[in-house]
Amino acid sequence: MAPSPESDSRAPAPFAVAVVGAGAAGLAAALALARDGVSTALVGRHAPVADGRTVALLDGSVRFLRALGAWDGIAPHASPLAELHIVDDTGSLFRPPPARFVATEIGLDAFGWNVESARLVESLRVQARATPNLTLFESDAEAFSAGETEAALTLGDGTHLSARLVAGADGARSKLRAAAGLVPREWSYPQAAITTILAHTRPHRDVSTEFHTRQGPFTLVPLPGGHRSSLVWVMDAARAQGMAALEESGLAQAVEAQAQAMLGHMRIDGPRGLVPMRGLALASPVAARLALVGEAAHVFPPIGAQGLNLGLRDAAALRDAVADALADGRDPGSRAALAGFARARGRDARLRTLAVDALNRSLLTGFLPVDALRGLGLLAMTTITPLRRFVMREGVVPRLGAPSLMR
């Protein structure tokens, strides 16, 4: 890997692919491409946010990270998710009994692994610094334009880059998306999520527990050590503001009460955050010489561990599209080379968006038929074995069109 260039306006040699965005999805995309010998630039400043957020890396994502050689650096900081318990705490007349999903039923030791987001990004960054064919530019992209055979980028430090394809992983407020004229559909929910790390006196036993409340899901996810968990508590936005202002002892008591003391006494054991509940979707994640991945292409509320896992599938799928094009002697930045990527990623994002949106909105309504449908659906997944196993497998990694490094 070449060292990060000095801040000047000299133009390095053209790259095959320039990945813009130094978060987990961008890092994974750059590593996947460089691993195949593709001349790759990674553009973006390393600025992890300490807000108590973690990511549950599902089995397909773990397979991908293992293929990139990055998993060994992440695994010591991750906790397995061996079981998932769902408890209906809405007070509905149609409450089903608690549901229990076990990874060994579908031949896995764990559905996935939970790791603090900042640790994940730092581990990937360390891997990127040591990867051949990958050049890091520690500056943000300020301008993008697409030409007939190449795309051009101008960085904040004055550097000019060119590449046959630009992968936009620059987040929900993507400058590349705006420059390409792609207009997203955006929406918001009357909720926000409290995120933090908790220590507790009873062991979690590698069980992730999700309470479905009338204001949104309340989720406790295991962290290493047996007595630490991450929290994502979705609630009314005004209530979340008040909860975020509590002292640590007051917040810990509120969490303990909502968790029905299932993990014993709790205390706050890490940073905390307040995350707005919103969504973003695109008709297509592709424009001229541009493919969008991660939150540049889709934004989910922090429900169901879908956001980053979908972004990692984007990264793995883009690697497949570029590898196929180069193997056939085709231009990896052409519309034809990206057509399959656009179709598959658009379909996956739409299905996940519908599922997350439907679950969240069903919790917010007190309409009895909706409660009945949600309760019947959960009951069916609990009692009908083939359905339960199908849902568990699809939740871990979709069988249809799974990228090659996730199989």
Side-chain angles (χ1 to χ4, degrees), residues 216-305:
F218 168 95
T219 308
L220 296 167
V221 190
L223 283 171
H227 288 82
R228 296 176 78 237
S229 294
S230 62
L231 169 74
V232 179
W233 189 357
V234 178
M235 65 186 77
D236 175 81
R239 184 187 177 204
Q241 290 281 355
M243 197 73 71
L246 290 176
E247 294 183 356
E248 288 192 354
S249 60
L251 179 58
Q253 288 174 8
V255 174
E256 187 177 323
Q258 180 61 58
Q260 303 174 10
M262 59 174 289
L263 294 177
H265 177 67
M266 290 185 170
R267 63 178 174 83
I268 305 302
D269 195 38
R272 63 170 107 169
L274 182 63
V275 182
M277 294 282 287
R278 58 197 182 94
L280 179 150
L282 282 172
S284 171
V286 166
R289 300 276 156 198
L290 177 67
L292 298 176
V293 301
E295 290 198 338
H298 40 71
V299 173
F300 289 83
I303 295 174

Side-chain angles (χ1 to χ4, degrees), residues 12 42 59 66 76 84-85 112 135 146 154 190 193-194 210 213 235 240 254 257 288 294 298 346 364 388 391 400:
L42 177 63
D59 183 70
R66 189 173 284 122
L84 170 62
H85 296 178
T135 305
T154 301
I194 298 286
E210 184 171 294
T213 80
M235 65 186 77
H298 40 71
L364 295 177
R388 181 175 66 253
V391 170
L400 181 62

Side-chain angles (χ1 to χ4, degrees), residues 142-147 151-153 165-168 170 173-184 282 284-292 296 335 338:
E142 297 296 333
F144 162 83
S145 61
L153 291 169
L165 171 66
V166 172
D170 53 338
R173 295 177 177 83
S174 171
K175 291 183 179 180
L176 297 183
R177 186 182 65 221
L182 295 175
V183 180
L282 282 172
S284 171
V286 166
R289 300 276 156 198
L290 177 67
L292 298 176
R335 292 274 193 174
L338 296 172

Side-chain angles (χ1 to χ4, degrees), residues 74-160:
I74 299 166
H77 309 293
S79 180
L81 310 180
E83 294 187 22
L84 170 62
H85 296 178
I86 299 178
V87 179
D88 190 314
D89 196 24
T90 62
S92 167
L93 294 174
F94 298 98
R95 280 183 298 171
R100 178 172 174 259
F101 302 93
V102 182
T104 54
E105 189 177 348
I106 55 171
L108 299 175
D109 293 331
F111 292 117
W113 297 73
N114 194 39
V115 62
E116 293 182 47
S117 299
R119 284 193 180 274
L120 170 64
V121 171
E122 181 54 40
S123 295
L124 290 172
R125 192 74 174 181
V126 169
Q127 184 78 8
R129 292 191 185 105
T131 297
N133 305 308
L134 181 56
T135 305
L136 275 61
F137 293 85
E138 303 272 355
S139 182
D140 293 333
E142 297 296 333
F144 162 83
S145 61
E148 179 112 6
T149 60
E150 292 181 343
L153 291 169
T154 301
L155 310 191
D157 63 3
T159 300
H160 298 279

